[in-house]
Amino acid sequence: MAKPLTDGERRKQISVRGLAGLGDVAEVRKSFNRHLHFTLVKDRNVATRRDYYLALAHTVRDHLVGRWIRTQQRYYERDPKRIYYLSLEFYMGRTLQNTMVNLGLQNACDEAIYQLGLDLEELEEIEEDAGLGNGGLGRLAACFLDSMATLGLAAYGYGIRYEFGIFNQKIVNGWQVEEADDWLRYGNPWEKARPEYMLPVHFYGRVEHSPEGVRWLDTQVVLAMPYDTPVPGYKNDTVNTMRLWSAKAPNDFKLHDFNVGGYIEAVLDRNLAENISRVLYPNDNFFEGKELRLKQEYFVVAATLQDIIRRFKSSKFGCRDPVRTSFETFPDKVAIQLNDTHPALAIPELMRILVDVEKVDWDKAWEITKKTCAYTNHTVLPEALERWPVSMFEKLLPRHLDIIYAINQRHLDHVAALFPGDVDRLRRMSVIEEGDCKRINMAHLCVIGSHAVNGVARIHSEIVRQSVFKDFYELEPQKFQNKTNGITPRRWLLLCNPGLAETIVERIGEGFLTDLSQLKKLLPLVGDEALIRDVAQVKQENKVKFSAFLEKQYGVKVNPSSMFDVHVKRIHEYKRQLLNCLHVVTLYNRIKKDPTQAFVPRTVMIGGKAAPGYHMAKKIIKLVTSIGNIVNHDPIVGDRLKVIFLENYRVSLAEKVIPAADLSQQISTAGTEASGTGNMKFMLNGALTIGTMDGANVEMAEEAGAENLFIFGLRVEDVEALDRKGYNAHEYYDRLPELRQAVDQINGGFFSPREPDCFKDVVNMLLNHDRFKVFADYEAYVACQARVDQLYRNPKEWTKKVIRNIACSGKFSSDRTITEYAHDIWGCDHRSTVGISSCS
């Protein structure tokens, strides 16, 4: 049962959560009861909590529908340039609260649900996360959709409706165990199937050249069924669309292959076609060259391009007859953004449609394709680059292989003309990598076939230019740009941290929610006693709330007055959770050595998923849980140090832990994290950052002043110098007694007494083949952590730094990022005041 709000709480909620007018509340109640009755076919006697959630979801969705239809109608009538964001991942999380926030309905719903004797927060917890992403890349796509709608851009997100998203992580005996994420089990109230727009996608077959042109024949067909999800802008009446494709077998699937009597087998075999959209590949920053994955990549691209061209050809609302016949204006009306190389096949597929189907001549088609497509690079790790075997293409997409060869030939001819005799340059720049197994380098295809290529933080874009695509940059320097990532302040402040949002609104108004640079107005108030008190109080309330959540969910008791030291992201060697572990063990040893000394109490929280096939990442999780087992049960340590592994880290858990964090760990080896976005979320929510000069940390330090972050460790130049010299982990092991002690304990089974050899391979990696130089940064890291402790002992100075960080986080709004994409890449002059962007 919800607690009634005090007058003070009501007053605090009023401004940003929307006014709860009596009429609105009555309307919500009426709608809720109607959906319970007519949609869910239940009454209050038999309805479950999930029924109540679904009734509320349908009630809120009703408020979207009119705006959704009107927005799309407006796009048809005004025919603006349309932005197509193609991504294999959209990590959306939950939708209910986000929709209420963006529609200004939160208070009305809160009051109505309370009057019905229910608790809004409890209902929100019932919704499954839409976990259609692995981490940063997928969550970035979701933030971008929110910003594009808020800026009034005519934008569409296109991806796959995976039946099973990122696995649910269970920890069993300290090890990660994966469970299927059956997120659609109870239905999804936010999506609308659109069978009338179902489209065919072709695979396999053969290519036939004739005087009339090229034909791709004898293909297998899979149908792509679209499911549309509304994407509301923040209080601006714009509702855009995310369209996700689901694979369906055609009704005659396999039936012609079977003899009489094979009918049952033919129907059962429909699963083979429909497996395409069954499951998200759970790899982050790693390429696994599986045929099913290549099918997924072509499936989304082929369906989406048909849709784009249909929409381009018909400009008036509701008309499906083609009116445009010339593709001359295509790049003026269509922008396609490729979120990493996963949708790279859009380039040869657009060429195939233009040349084979629409009979545009090659050079014109290539010009159109390049002007239309743009590519965002997300990683510099070589193991993450997509390199598909030519043999797989030959079988699955024979026409696309032809087209890629033709693109490459023209490209290499151009390079050879500019650099005569430089055969090594030709080899380096080819889309086709020769060798035992010929491969197609998808990144090279993207760079050649796009008019713009961008990295996702300044330092990353520099590495892209100077190293990853150096040859291509020398060829076409004007192509390369930077677009530093951002996060949506609606979900990552207003929704997840209403207390902090309200504290800010009281000082500077609510304009910052759509123009985050306005947070700068807090700078003159850094020393304001009342603000310092309020910010510290909100943080403490968030910590108490999260502590209660931990106890309820996992039965773990933590001390809410300890420092909440948080390290949440995918588990990967380059993100260096092992460095954090070494610090924890070092702290433990210091407490054990001198228990009488005054220590700043810490609760270290580490969370994240490991790819199921990534042995080392799974070992790292086991190490964290094992250290926790020893540290947390040591009576001498007491509550001065606790180590918690946050199970099943996902968007909805991030929304709880980030507002409660004091310290944010962003400690990747310099030059490995393209940007990071978790770093920005922590900064905006009043945590201080301990981090290396990597990714967007560099720009965070620039915005807030490096003295307001805890920066340590090797810079990119130092890492390069160490590589030239040769990194020798043993030097550090021999020189640093605390490091040696920690490593020996891990190696000797101190933290795994039942399996003394459990972590031998981890230590062996750290000592003999650690690509990410954990030991090289250990000393600086531990010293930096001591500075963290020192500042934490002075709560007022700590909070002043927090306020300074919040005030300087404005750059990291995805609204700013998208405004830059629109202006510099898509050729759009967004004017959100008009409610629709005008594109030049």
Side-chain angles (χ1 to χ4, degrees):
M1 185 62 183
K3 300 187 300 292
L5 299 173
T6 67
D7 284 345
E9 284 172 322
R10 265 184 217 288
R11 216 171 31 252
K12 277 199 89 163
Q13 280 188 349
I14 275 171
S15 64
V16 269
R17 290 168 66 113
L19 292 159
L22 290 179
D24 295 333
V25 174
E27 205 279 311
V28 170
R29 279 178 58 184
K30 187 176 158 192
S31 186
F32 177 92
N33 285 324
R34 187 172 51 80
H35 277 296
L36 194 61
H37 188 81
F38 289 104
T39 309
L40 297 159
V41 197
K42 292 280 185 91
D43 64 32
R44 291 294 299 264
N45 301 309
V46 293
T48 63
R49 296 277 153 194
R50 176 165 276 103
D51 291 320
Y52 293 139
Y53 156 68
L54 288 166
L56 178 58
H58 279 99
T59 299
V60 172
R61 179 177 163 275
D62 286 349
H63 286 261
L64 279 170
V65 171
R67 293 172 170 99
W68 197 6
I69 290 170
R70 280 193 299 276
T71 299
Q72 300 311 312
Q73 198 165 351
R74 201 165 66 236
Y75 292 159
Y76 265 96
E77 286 164 0
R78 303 196 194 174
D79 195 31
K81 184 168 189 176
R82 288 171 163 84
I83 313 304
Y84 294 100
Y85 197 82
L86 268 63
S87 181
L88 268 283
E89 303 185 21
F90 286 94
Y91 203 170
M92 301 296 284
R94 291 171 176 162
T95 298
L96 174 62
Q97 196 184 355
N98 185 248
T99 306
M100 294 190 300
V101 162
N102 280 15
L103 263 42
L105 279 174
Q106 225 179 347
N107 269 341
C109 290
D110 211 345
E111 183 61 31
I113 294 303
Y114 169 68
Q115 288 178 12
L116 289 161
L118 299 166
D119 183 341
L120 182 58
E121 225 177 293
E122 197 183 316
L123 299 188
E124 288 167 349
E125 284 299 312
I126 289 164
E127 183 176 359
E128 301 272 357
D129 279 47
L132 308 185
N134 277 286
L137 174 146
R139 183 54 234 176
L140 184 78
C143 284
F144 278 6
L145 292 184
D146 181 89
S147 286
M148 290 188 289
T150 295
L151 292 169
L153 289 169
Y156 302 77
Y158 272 94
I160 295 177
R161 180 182 179 266
Y162 300 106
E163 199 176 316
F164 296 92
I166 188 67
F167 60 86
N168 283 314
Q169 179 192 59
K170 290 271 188 292
I171 300 297
V172 180
N173 298 324
W175 294 93
Q176 167 178 296
V177 175
E178 299 87 22
E179 246 175 35
D181 164 42
D182 193 4
W183 72 291
L184 294 168
R185 183 172 46 235
Y186 300 104
N188 174 6
W190 304 106
E191 69 183 8
K192 176 74 184 85
R194 299 280 188 202
E196 68 275 21
Y197 290 111
M198 187 139 62
L199 294 167
V201 176
H202 298 262
F203 293 100
Y204 303 106
R206 59 190 179 83
V207 178
E208 191 180 84
H209 296 261
S210 72
E212 291 79 60
V214 185
R215 296 197 304 161
W216 182 18
L217 302 168
D218 304 331
T219 56
Q220 291 182 25
V221 174
V222 177
L223 299 175
M225 164 89 83
Y227 285 78
D228 288 356
T229 299
V231 179
Y234 181 70
K235 293 184 179 175
N236 68 348
D237 286 338
T238 294
V239 181
N240 283 343
T241 302
M242 175 177 67
R243 177 163 284 182
L244 302 181
W245 301 102
S246 183
K248 271 263 329 114
N251 286 332
D252 63 355
F253 186 73
K254 290 267 188 172
L255 282 167
H256 47 275
D257 300 350
F258 278 93
N259 305 326
V260 181
Y263 164 72
I264 295 290
E265 294 90 315
V267 173
L268 297 185
D269 272 353
R270 292 170 61 87
N271 279 323
L272 300 174
E274 294 171 0
N275 277 339
I276 289 176
S277 57
R278 195 79 68 204
V279 60
L280 167 75
Y281 273 85
N283 302 315
D284 191 73
N285 277 293
F286 182 75
F287 170 62
E288 188 179 2
K290 293 280 191 285
E291 184 177 32
L292 181 61
R293 171 65 173 196
L294 184 57
K295 279 183 173 168
Q296 289 182 339
E297 292 184 355
Y298 180 62
F299 175 75
V300 65
V301 154
T304 300
L305 274 166
Q306 289 179 72
D307 225 25
I308 290 174
I309 285 164
R310 171 188 59 75
R311 208 176 275 121
F312 167 74
K313 284 181 170 181
S314 66
S315 57
K316 263 287 178 254
F317 184 71
C319 164
R320 292 180 67 180
D321 299 324
V323 284
R324 283 201 182 96
T325 45
S326 164
F327 279 85
E328 203 62 51
T329 61
F330 194 74
D332 304 324
K333 288 298 179 186
V334 174
I336 294 173
Q337 190 67 36
L338 306 175
N339 195 26
D340 214 315
T341 58
H342 313 146
L345 285 164
I347 291 165
E349 173 66 5
L350 182 52
M351 284 299 287
R352 186 189 68 82
I353 295 168
L354 292 175
V355 174
D356 295 0
V357 181
E358 302 290 345
K359 308 297 183 193
V360 178
D361 86 86
W362 182 280
D363 291 338
K364 187 74 212 167
W366 184 239
E367 185 195 332
I368 290 167
T369 297
K370 275 182 74 165
K371 282 182 172 169
T372 302
C373 296
Y375 157 58
T376 302
N377 173 275
H378 282 274
T379 181
V380 298
L381 297 184
E383 64 268 32
L385 295 176
E386 292 197 292
R387 296 155 62 250
W388 290 103
V390 165
S391 56
M392 198 182 284
F393 258 80
E394 224 154 21
K395 182 171 70 142
L396 194 69
L397 300 167
R399 178 58 182 142
H400 297 77
L401 182 59
D402 284 351
I403 291 168
I404 289 167
Y405 273 132
I407 290 169
N408 193 44
Q409 190 56 58
R410 285 167 169 81
H411 160 65
L412 291 181
D413 290 346
H414 176 56
V415 175
L418 289 167
F419 301 92
D422 194 343
V423 286
D424 197 55
R425 182 180 295 264
L426 292 179
R427 182 191 54 74
R428 292 195 310 265
M429 294 184 76
S430 178
V431 176
I432 309 296
E433 297 178 356
E434 304 292 343
D436 293 345
C437 166
K438 279 174 77 167
R439 292 179 177 273
I440 301 173
N441 184 314
M442 300 303 269
H444 288 185
L445 179 62
C446 284
V447 173
I448 293 162
S450 298
H451 71 278
V453 175
N454 73 280
V456 290
R458 193 202 303 135
I459 187 176
H460 166 61
S461 297
E462 201 50 42
I463 292 168
V464 161
R465 283 190 283 254
Q466 299 308 321
S467 150
V468 190
F469 299 134
K470 183 174 194 287
D471 294 315
F472 295 90
Y473 175 64
E474 286 171 8
L475 193 68
E476 305 181 279
Q478 72 292 342
K479 228 184 224 192
F480 291 82
Q481 305 188 17
N482 172 243
K483 293 288 167 277
T484 300
N485 282 163
I487 57 171
T488 170
R490 274 72 65 181
R491 184 177 294 266
W492 297 113
L493 179 56
L494 185 50
L495 180 155
C496 71
N497 203 342
L500 181 58
E502 205 49 68
T503 299
I504 296 169
V505 167
E506 284 169 7
R507 305 316 199 281
I508 66 170
E510 50 184 275
F512 71 93
L513 290 167
T514 50
D515 174 12
L516 205 62
S517 67
Q518 291 187 27
L519 287 175
K520 279 263 182 275
K521 295 178 185 172
L522 290 172
L523 278 176
L525 300 173
V526 164
D528 182 89
E529 297 290 347
L531 182 60
I532 291 169
R533 187 191 60 235
D534 287 354
V535 167
Q537 186 187 332
V538 164
K539 179 62 74 180
Q540 197 50 40
E541 285 166 4
N542 291 342
K543 289 171 72 174
V544 166
K545 186 173 182 181
F546 189 65
S547 302
F549 168 81
L550 283 181
E551 194 168 351
K552 183 166 171 274
Q553 271 332 87
Y554 307 107
V556 204
K557 259 189 108 61
V558 300
N559 169 15
S561 60
S562 63
M563 184 200 303
F564 281 14
D565 169 346
V566 183
H567 196 183
V568 285
K569 51 188 74 250
R570 284 297 290 255
I571 310 295
H572 200 298
E573 288 160 88
Y574 89 85
K575 293 177 186 282
R576 298 203 296 190
Q577 283 90 0
L578 285 171
L579 184 55
N580 193 350
C581 288
L582 290 172
H583 175 245
V584 169
V585 173
T586 302
L587 284 184
Y588 172 75
N589 289 332
R590 287 177 180 178
I591 293 170
K592 295 286 280 185
K593 189 177 174 190
D594 183 6
T596 60
Q597 205 191 318
F599 286 89
V600 174
R602 279 199 194 220
T603 303
V604 179
M605 305 181 200
I606 299 176
K609 291 174 183 177
Y614 190 173
H615 170 255
M616 186 58 69
K618 290 184 137 178
K619 269 277 164 85
I620 291 168
I621 291 173
K622 175 63 174 171
L623 178 60
V624 172
T625 56
S626 301
I627 292 170
N629 271 336
I630 298 295
V631 170
N632 300 347
H633 297 112
D634 191 321
I636 295 172
V637 174
D639 69 356
R640 287 182 285 189
L641 183 61
K642 287 275 181 272
V643 181
I644 313 277
F645 186 83
L646 294 174
E647 193 177 292
N648 204 28
Y649 181 65
R650 58 200 186 282
V651 174
S652 58
L653 185 53
E655 290 165 4
K656 295 179 175 70
V657 68
I658 291 171
D662 291 307
L663 187 68
S664 158
Q665 300 238 25
Q666 309 296 337
I667 58 176
S668 53
T669 312
T672 63
E673 188 74 271
S675 167
T677 45
N679 47 2
M680 303 168 187
K681 290 161 197 171
F682 283 102
M683 184 185 195
L684 183 59
N685 280 278
L688 298 185
T689 302
I690 183 166
T692 50
M693 276 299 204
D694 198 20
N697 297 354
V698 176
E699 289 160 80
M700 285 163 53
E702 186 179 305
E703 293 296 302
E707 70 281 5
N708 294 303
L709 282 74
F710 296 98
I711 299 290
F712 72 93
L714 303 176
R715 309 303 201 248
V716 169
E717 315 80 72
D718 307 321
V719 173
E720 287 168 352
L722 192 50
D723 277 328
R724 285 193 297 272
K725 174 187 156 215
Y727 168 64
N728 177 6
H730 289 270
E731 283 176 25
Y732 304 92
Y733 174 84
D734 293 338
R735 184 167 61 79
L736 303 167
E738 285 188 309
L739 173 61
R740 188 164 59 247
Q741 183 188 5
V743 171
D744 289 348
Q745 286 169 315
I746 292 166
N747 195 45
F750 179 88
F751 295 104
S752 52
R754 294 194 177 161
E755 304 169 74
D757 293 348
C758 189
F759 303 116
K760 286 242 184 291
D761 50 355
V762 177
V763 170
N764 177 50
M765 179 275 292
L766 286 171
L767 279 167
N768 301 311
H769 43 91
D770 172 15
R771 295 165 58 200
F772 303 106
K773 306 176 175 63
V774 170
F775 290 2
D777 274 338
Y778 168 85
E779 191 176 17
Y781 178 58
V782 171
C784 193
Q785 286 281 18
R787 288 172 41 221
V788 173
D789 278 343
Q790 193 186 345
L791 186 65
Y792 196 77
R793 287 195 176 95
N794 185 340
K796 187 174 167 184
E797 288 307 310
W798 179 279
T799 306
K800 281 162 81 168
K801 270 210 202 305
V802 164
I803 294 167
R804 223 180 230 107
N805 270 267
I806 295 168
C808 295
S809 63
K811 175 179 181 178
F812 305 105
S813 169
S814 47
D815 298 344
R816 186 268 316 152
T817 310
I818 289 298
T819 301
E820 291 182 9
Y821 275 96
H823 182 269
D824 302 340
I825 296 177
W826 304 330
C828 281
D829 159 36
H830 88 82
R831 291 204 302 273
S832 50
T833 46
V834 186
I836 183 170
S837 71
S838 68
C839 294
S840 51

